[in-house]
Amino acid sequence: MKVKKIYLLLSTAIIASASFAQQGDPKATEFYSPVPKIITPGKAISYAPSDAIVLFDGKNLDEWVTTQDPSKAADWIVAKNILTVNKKAGNIQTKRSFTDYQLHIEWRIPANITGEGQARGNSGIFLAGTGPGDAGYEIQILDCYNNKTYVNGQTGSIYKQSIPLANACKKPGEWQGYDIVWTAPRFNEEGTIKSPAHVTAFHNGVLVQNNYELKGETAYIGAPVYKKHGPAPIKLQAHGDKSEPISFRNIWIREL
Ligand code: MG
């Protein structure tokens, strides 16, 4: 009798905690080990090759629109040849859609950055933005120079899926770069996955993702899942944290 009762109590507790995770405990998908090795990067600056599409060269946002309403121009701030996030305007995305590509993008955390954890210079690149808000596949941007957070949410992570192979962050105030090779997922007619997405990424010239096979779109809560889509824009994140907005420059892409 007693054993049966304990078993019943235990299984109820397991079911309760499992359904709690499903309903929305973001902590259920946050991991704190293994901690990526800290590396001092070299100087990585890369100029657009002749066959690249230049997405931002310091002059204007002609290649970008507002994610919430793609008929509207992107309302982030262009000044002194750099692009700065306007958090009130929300995410922005490329006018064009892409499938497989090589992307170069540079970004800078402000020298006076404040906040901690995920609320310290959070932004990100959705390698295929599949819809409004944060729909898509995010490679994280965050100040992780001296800032602890869950390792599958630090700079260079595929958010809550893949821990970066190293922490190659530069100090706030210094320009940093990502070089990314993206292979888009392919879907069967009825919507099931035919071949998953893959990503290789270098942060400041250091390999942080090595042909990682994605499990689906990156999710704040719960397990990643794939939803059928075709060519998609690249999206930059205006994260809702209170820290100072980050900047971008020198963005170019080569379609593969
Ligand atoms: Mg982010």
Side-chain angles (χ1 to χ4, degrees):
M1 247 346 231
K2 212 172 174 189
V3 173
K4 219 173 180 181
K5 208 170 181 184
I6 290 169
Y7 177 75
L8 195 72
L9 273 172
L10 260 176
S11 49
T12 314
I14 290 164
I15 290 163
S17 64
S19 65
F20 175 63
Q22 290 237 318
Q23 277 166 17
D25 179 9
K27 291 195 164 41
T29 47
E30 295 166 8
F31 300 99
Y32 286 85
S33 70
V35 177
K37 186 162 110 180
I38 295 171
I39 303 234
T40 304
K43 285 197 169 69
I45 292 279
S46 178
Y47 300 98
S50 60
D51 65 346
I53 298 168
V54 175
L55 295 174
F56 179 69
D57 65 359
K59 295 190 186 83
N60 58 58
L61 283 174
D62 289 358
E63 289 285 343
W64 300 83
V65 293
T66 298
T67 296
Q68 212 52 41
D69 179 358
S71 70
K72 282 193 188 146
D75 191 20
W76 286 13
I77 303 136
V78 177
K80 295 180 181 166
N81 295 317
I82 67 171
L83 168 63
T84 299
V85 178
N86 172 9
K87 294 194 184 192
K88 282 189 210 136
N91 296 345
I92 64 169
Q93 65 188 38
T94 54
K95 264 184 198 167
R96 303 177 201 236
S97 288
F98 303 98
T99 304
D100 303 334
Y101 60 78
Q102 170 189 354
L103 175 72
H104 176 83
I105 183 164
E106 292 171 27
W107 47 273
R108 185 180 66 184
I109 305 284
N112 63 344
I113 192 74
T114 60
E116 56 182 47
Q118 291 285 308
R120 188 177 170 88
N122 197 329
S123 182
I125 304 158
F126 294 89
L127 300 167
T130 59
D134 287 350
Y137 313 87
E138 183 188 9
I139 182 165
Q140 178 69 302
I141 293 178
L142 189 71
D143 175 31
C144 290
Y145 184 73
N146 195 0
N147 175 36
K148 196 169 177 186
T149 187
Y150 40 96
V151 290
N152 59 341
Q154 73 177 62
T155 303
S157 66
I158 301 305
Y159 187 67
K160 289 193 169 179
Q161 285 193 43
S162 180
I163 300 165
L165 298 169
N167 178 346
C169 282
K170 294 189 182 181
K171 278 193 195 117
E174 292 182 23
W175 283 99
Q176 316 200 35
Y178 273 149
D179 287 282
I180 297 165
V181 181
W182 174 249
T183 304
R186 266 58 170 185
F187 295 86
N188 295 310
E189 203 54 51
E190 77 279 13
T192 54
I193 191 80
K194 191 174 183 182
S195 60
H198 287 79
V199 65
T200 293
F202 296 85
H203 177 206
N204 297 328
V206 176
L207 185 71
V208 288
Q209 298 292 339
N210 186 7
N211 199 30
Y212 174 70
E213 181 181 303
L214 281 84
K215 299 179 176 77
E217 297 194 19
T218 49
Y220 176 52
I221 293 169
V225 282
Y226 276 112
K227 285 170 289 187
K228 188 184 177 189
H229 64 84
I234 292 166
K235 191 161 71 176
L236 303 181
Q237 188 182 41
H239 191 269
D241 70 78
K242 301 275 188 291
S243 68
E244 296 68 20
I246 79 157
S247 300
F248 292 91
R249 72 176 186 190
N250 192 18
I251 311 173
W252 54 260
I253 191 167
R254 292 180 64 248
E255 292 184 281
L256 303 174

